[in-house]
Amino acid sequence: MVIGRARSAAGVGNRRGWAAARAGALRWFERTERRLVAASAVLAGVAVLLGVLGEVAVRERGALLDDAVARRGASTAAALDVYRALADADATSLNAVVVEAYRVGDERKRYREDLFDATDALRATASLAPEESSARRVRKLLDHLPEYSRLVEAGWGNSALNQPVGTSYLGQASSLAREVLLGEAQELHHEQATALSNAQLAAGRHPWEVYAVGAVLLVLLVLAQIYLARRTRRQLNRGLLLSTALVLAALITLGVSVNLAAGHAADSVDELDGVIAPLAKARNLARIADGDEVRILVFPKVGDVGRLRDGLDALDREITAARTGGGNQQRVDKAATALVSWRTAVAPLLGNQNPPLTYPEMSGLVIGTAQAAHAQRFDEALTDAITWHTADAATSTAAAKGSLADTDLVFAVCVVLALVSLGWGMWPRIREYY
Amino acid sequence: MRRFLAVLVAVLTLSGCGAVVPTPRPPRERPVVQPEGYRDPAVTFPPVPGCPTPDLSLNPAGLAAGTKLALNRIRHWNGRLVVGLSQTTRLFSSRSLGTGELSGFEVDIARRIASELFGEPLLSDDARLHLVDMPTGGRLYSLDTAENQNARLLRPELLEIPTVDLVISNVKISCTRASSYGLLFSAPYLSTNTGLLVRAGDREVRSPDGLGGRKVCSGTGTTDSSEMIEIRDQQSGSGKPAVIPVSVADTSECLMLLQRGLVDAIYSDILVLEGFRLQDPSTVLLPYRSPGASEAGIAMSDRDPDLVRFVNGVLDEMRSDGSLAAAYDRWFATVPDRLPIPVARYSD
């Protein structure tokens, strides 16, 4: 009972305290000069907030684009190199046992260079993309590469002695490449490419929180102008007017810069997703198709011919996708022409020939000079197109970064000048009342 | 001074507590890469039903009386004999990938059949003999039979298997195969039993009983694999340490696994095992032999009975002129305790 009374007394006391404070505040604001001081403080506070948010927004976007240019672009390219080098190694490891004796050395050298390139690209990816998911994939690839190399070298050694067990080693190596290595490399590239696109899209996103604070500041400035006009019977306060114009200028500068950056970033993302991605996929599929041809020759399995046929069809689709995605006409046409020649050359492998092709006939199709040149020409045409579009996409990313150049400085100067103008406009009026 | 020292000690102690301790590298294991279709442990496939006339083929004497549709097709319409072979079974039929040359016991038989068919000896590059590599997992679908045509309708990927006139690829004669694929077998040209191949120096091993707790490799779905599973069950039942049967899609992969130390023995046809041993002198074929024996025949379509009779006639000739035995000796001379070439048995 005693506690209840004490609580009740405390509640009454609190309510009285709040009422007294409110009355005191209202009394304080009864005087105009105090209202002007308070309004100035609020305006200055919101202007500072706008300045801070604007700076952060511009710098964040700049950092994202810097990251896209310096890190994500490089890690995406490195991940793509990993895939290409491994797919090429798969094809070359098999080529090395079926080509004429004088070409064996070249094929082996190319395979070893592919493995070096893959490892080197993995090292680059590991340093540029240390995120857990990418690191896990890099680790898995690095774990399996020594075993892959051992299997291929053992396969070559045995095949050179005409030991059929060499085929088992090479078959196992090829399965490892296709089922583990290429799958991981593809995922790694996908992660990096997605991160690159996301970074660019995020950099081109408008800073709506800055616009909102800017809008609030503009409304407050207009209200302050109206209040001053009523109190001082002057038409316009020049300081507030200048401050309003500077805030508006800061917001317009920011909006235009981000808009330009968004346009360039979108161009880059469109090129990455619409052209480079299908071209890169086509190049990877082509390396796999090249390997499929030799597999049919070295260790045929049911389903191999169908897989090769599907792979070549997929190449057609990817080239068409790159063309409709805005690929450079001349370069894409060159790749398409090389693909048609390749398909024509290997057509006998794809049909159910009667009589079936003999080994010399098949090996002529798969490793003969003319066929090898078709696959090679297609690969070169795609590499040329990918290199050209990658450079173009990087230029767009750099242009996006350029669009934001000095925006932070202009924004900061405008906001600081707006603050000075605010003081210039409000201080004489406050002083008049004191 | 004492206070100063006390504070110093306290600061040093606390800073020591907060020092970064290097994280030890987590232990990791080297990944083990197994071939596609590797099974550990191996599993039993449905038992093969019994066969009323397991090894009876068509008598070549009946050739003169019957029609010769298949022979006419091969000799006159197509002008070529298409033979399906393996290219990875040493001693039977294997190819030098560099030169493309095929050689082996079965290649010799194929050449002799073609020579008899066209009435003259054929050179190794004669276009009238097409030697075609059979894809793994599909060699018997390459014969033109009603059963295989139905299978191709159900599994379109089988359409890519080339069509051949004969398959000579160490095909074990079985009624199940004959009825499943619509085949006719020639009279057997080879008889063999099963043995064990281990690494040289594995002195404790004489038979499957010495391989308790160790991995023994066979081809998936083969009689060898089923036998090894049966041996494991017997060993477990009698309280002995049991073998661990594992299997792979293609028996030739077992040698790779043995060389890589992933299995301890291979249980298969001793002639195949001898081919493995010759590829790797660090292995040894044990004297152990399974009690049963199996026979290999040339597989043909049941639509081509005249071809079956003709092939049997050629094999009979090879038996009588000693060329079959000579080829057998030439390729398998190093195999200890090998079974003799089986006699022909005909149903008519």
Side-chain angles (χ1 to χ4, degrees):
Chain A
M1 183 69 97
V2 174
I3 292 169
R5 276 183 196 158
R7 276 185 184 164
S8 172
V12 172
N14 279 344
R15 278 199 294 277
R16 281 181 186 162
W18 274 112
R22 191 163 164 268
L26 287 174
R27 268 199 308 280
W28 194 86
F29 275 110
E30 278 171 4
R31 296 185 61 164
T32 303
E33 69 273 21
R34 286 178 180 169
R35 286 186 186 178
L36 289 176
V37 167
S40 299
V42 169
L43 286 170
V46 177
V48 168
L49 179 65
L50 176 68
V52 170
L53 287 179
E55 281 299 298
V56 169
V58 174
R59 287 184 184 201
E60 261 181 10
R61 280 154 183 76
L64 281 170
L65 290 170
D66 277 342
D67 189 55
V69 172
R71 193 171 72 94
R72 290 290 177 198
S75 68
T76 307
L80 188 58
D81 286 346
V82 172
Y83 192 103
R84 182 171 183 262
L86 290 175
D88 197 58
D90 180 39
T92 316
S93 67
L94 303 174
N95 275 330
V97 294
V98 291
V99 293
E100 300 94 316
Y102 74 93
R103 286 170 60 192
V104 169
D106 288 343
E107 293 291 331
R108 289 186 177 192
K109 186 176 164 212
R110 181 170 164 181
Y111 164 83
R112 288 170 183 140
E113 281 170 358
D114 280 335
L115 273 201
F116 174 81
D117 290 345
T119 315
D120 195 45
L122 276 172
R123 235 184 333 255
T125 313
S127 63
L128 291 164
E131 301 86 4
E132 179 48 32
S133 171
S134 302
R136 196 173 57 244
R137 295 192 192 287
V138 169
R139 203 159 51 229
K140 189 167 179 186
L141 283 163
L142 288 173
D143 283 350
H144 283 89
L145 277 179
E147 186 67 8
Y148 175 61
S149 173
R150 273 193 290 275
L151 289 169
V152 170
E153 299 277 348
W156 286 348
N158 282 290
S159 295
L161 298 169
N162 285 333
Q163 310 290 21
V165 72
T167 305
S168 300
Y169 278 99
L170 291 170
Q172 164 93 79
S174 186
S175 292
L176 175 62
R178 284 152 185 254
E179 283 163 27
V180 180
L181 303 180
L182 292 178
E184 288 297 325
Q186 187 170 11
E187 285 303 312
L188 185 65
H189 175 245
H190 178 68
E191 280 178 6
Q192 298 310 310
T194 306
L196 175 61
S197 295
N198 288 346
Q200 297 197 78
L201 290 174
R205 209 164 287 138
H206 278 278
W208 295 111
E209 72 284 1
V210 180
Y211 299 154
V213 173
V216 168
L217 182 57
L218 287 172
V219 169
L220 289 175
L221 284 167
V222 170
L223 291 175
Q225 188 75 266
I226 294 167
Y227 180 75
L228 274 179
R230 284 181 186 163
R231 280 283 166 183
T232 61
R233 296 170 195 255
R234 288 187 176 90
Q235 284 293 319
L236 278 174
N237 179 301
R238 280 179 293 175
L240 284 184
L241 189 64
L242 185 57
S243 184
T244 307
L246 285 165
V247 169
L248 210 52
L251 292 173
I252 288 170
T253 304
L254 180 65
V256 169
S257 298
V258 172
N259 217 32
L260 284 171
H264 289 304
D267 286 347
S268 174
V269 170
D270 286 347
E271 196 155 13
L272 283 168
D273 294 348
V275 184
I276 297 172
L279 287 176
K281 194 170 175 192
R283 192 171 63 171
N284 295 341
L285 288 171
R287 297 287 71 217
I288 293 202
D290 201 15
D292 277 335
E293 288 175 0
V294 196
R295 275 168 71 107
I296 291 169
L297 189 65
V298 178
F299 41 89
K301 281 187 179 172
V302 174
D304 281 351
V305 173
R307 193 164 40 247
L308 174 61
R309 192 184 301 114
D310 293 346
L312 292 171
D313 289 345
L315 288 181
D316 256 343
R317 286 195 297 276
E318 296 304 329
I319 293 294
T320 307
R323 184 179 281 126
T324 52
N328 178 280
Q329 188 73 29
Q330 189 191 345
R331 287 178 166 82
V332 174
D333 281 351
K334 197 175 160 193
T337 307
L339 177 59
V340 169
S341 307
W342 185 12
R343 293 194 70 152
T344 309
V346 298
L349 270 181
L350 304 176
N352 195 354
Q353 296 287 316
N354 191 16
L357 295 174
T358 57
Y359 184 87
E361 288 166 343
M362 284 176 71
S363 95
L365 286 172
V366 172
I367 58 171
T369 315
Q371 186 279 327
H374 286 310
Q376 192 66 33
R377 266 201 292 276
F378 183 61
D379 188 68
E380 285 164 6
L382 287 174
T383 301
D384 173 52
I386 290 168
T387 308
W388 190 85
H389 280 287
T390 303
D392 198 48
T395 307
S396 296
T397 310
K401 169 68 180 151
S403 304
L404 290 176
D406 297 333
T407 303
D408 54 342
L409 184 67
V410 172
F411 192 85
V413 167
C414 285
V415 172
V416 167
L417 289 177
L419 270 169
V420 172
S421 305
L422 180 67
W424 175 51
M426 295 297 278
W427 178 241
R429 302 291 79 82
I430 293 168
R431 208 173 47 186
E432 278 174 7
Y433 283 91
Y434 273 103
Chain B
M1 189 62 186
R2 277 183 185 172
R3 277 186 187 171
F4 174 75
L5 283 174
V7 169
L8 186 66
V9 168
V11 166
L12 288 175
T13 308
L14 287 173
S15 64
C17 290
V20 178
V21 177
T23 315
R25 202 161 54 124
R28 302 183 64 231
E29 284 184 10
R30 181 174 70 88
V32 177
V33 180
Q34 301 287 10
E36 211 175 334
Y38 174 79
R39 288 169 190 252
D40 181 2
V43 293
T44 314
F45 280 73
V48 178
C51 191
T53 51
D55 51 9
L56 298 180
S57 188
L58 300 176
N59 196 324
L63 185 61
T67 56
K68 299 184 181 66
L69 283 177
L71 293 174
N72 285 333
R73 182 189 75 222
I74 293 165
R75 280 181 181 139
H76 306 301
W77 298 346
N78 297 339
R80 65 190 158 259
L81 174 69
V82 184
V83 182
L85 293 156
S86 163
Q87 64 175 355
T88 57
T89 313
R90 185 157 170 181
L91 303 180
F92 287 84
S93 168
S94 64
R95 186 185 297 282
S96 159
L97 294 174
T99 63
E101 276 298 308
L102 266 177
S103 59
F105 178 60
E106 289 174 336
V107 180
D108 290 352
I109 293 176
R111 290 196 193 288
R112 176 66 182 267
I113 292 170
S115 295
E116 296 293 337
L117 197 58
F118 293 106
E120 58 184 1
L122 302 186
L123 294 173
S124 63
D125 59 349
D126 196 307
R128 287 175 291 180
L129 175 60
H130 270 244
L131 299 177
V132 178
D133 307 322
M134 292 286 93
T136 302
R139 57 185 179 165
L140 295 180
Y141 287 111
S142 60
L143 293 163
D144 184 21
T145 66
E147 287 77 0
N148 284 343
Q149 280 176 355
N150 287 336
R152 284 176 181 166
L153 288 175
L154 295 170
R155 294 173 56 195
E157 73 272 17
L158 297 178
L159 288 169
E160 68 188 49
I161 299 174
T163 304
V164 301
D165 299 311
L166 318 169
V167 176
I168 315 181
S169 183
N170 195 19
V171 182
K172 296 288 165 16
I173 296 173
S174 94
C175 285
T176 310
R177 280 184 170 147
S179 57
S180 303
Y181 296 97
L183 310 180
L184 285 174
F185 282 102
S186 71
Y189 61 88
L190 204 59
S191 181
T192 180
N193 45 18
T194 313
L196 274 170
L197 185 82
V198 297
R199 283 185 286 271
D202 213 345
R203 292 192 180 85
E204 301 301 313
V205 183
R206 298 276 182 278
S207 69
D209 283 346
L211 285 162
R214 299 168 77 183
K215 291 184 178 177
V216 181
C217 183
S218 304
T220 300
T222 59
T223 318
D224 308 328
S225 179
S226 300
E227 279 178 16
M228 193 42 66
I229 291 169
E230 208 172 300
I231 290 169
R232 176 200 60 193
D233 294 343
Q234 284 168 3
Q235 288 171 333
S236 300
S238 58
K240 291 179 189 167
V243 296
I244 305 168
V246 300
S247 68
V248 285
D250 189 337
T251 310
S252 61
E253 291 171 328
C254 285
L255 177 59
M256 174 184 67
L257 295 181
L258 185 72
Q259 289 180 334
R260 291 170 60 202
L262 298 176
V263 300
D264 301 289
I266 305 173
Y267 186 72
S268 186
D269 173 337
I270 57 163
L271 301 180
V272 171
L273 291 181
E274 178 64 4
F276 290 171
R277 191 192 67 77
L278 292 172
Q279 292 181 64
D280 186 349
S282 73
T283 58
V284 59
L285 180 59
L286 297 179
Y288 170 83
R289 298 288 180 269
S290 65
S294 58
E295 291 178 331
I298 298 170
M300 287 159 274
S301 167
D302 59 4
R303 290 170 174 171
D304 297 338
D306 54 325
L307 181 61
V308 178
R309 291 183 196 279
F310 180 84
V311 166
N312 280 337
V314 175
L315 290 174
D316 277 354
E317 256 182 58
M318 291 181 77
R319 279 191 192 89
S320 57
D321 67 15
S323 57
L324 190 61
Y328 187 48
D329 289 343
R330 180 182 162 210
W331 291 104
F332 299 108
T334 56
V335 184
D337 309 327
R338 63 195 157 104
L339 298 173
I341 290 174
V343 294
R345 299 176 297 274
Y346 301 115
S347 58
D348 54 350

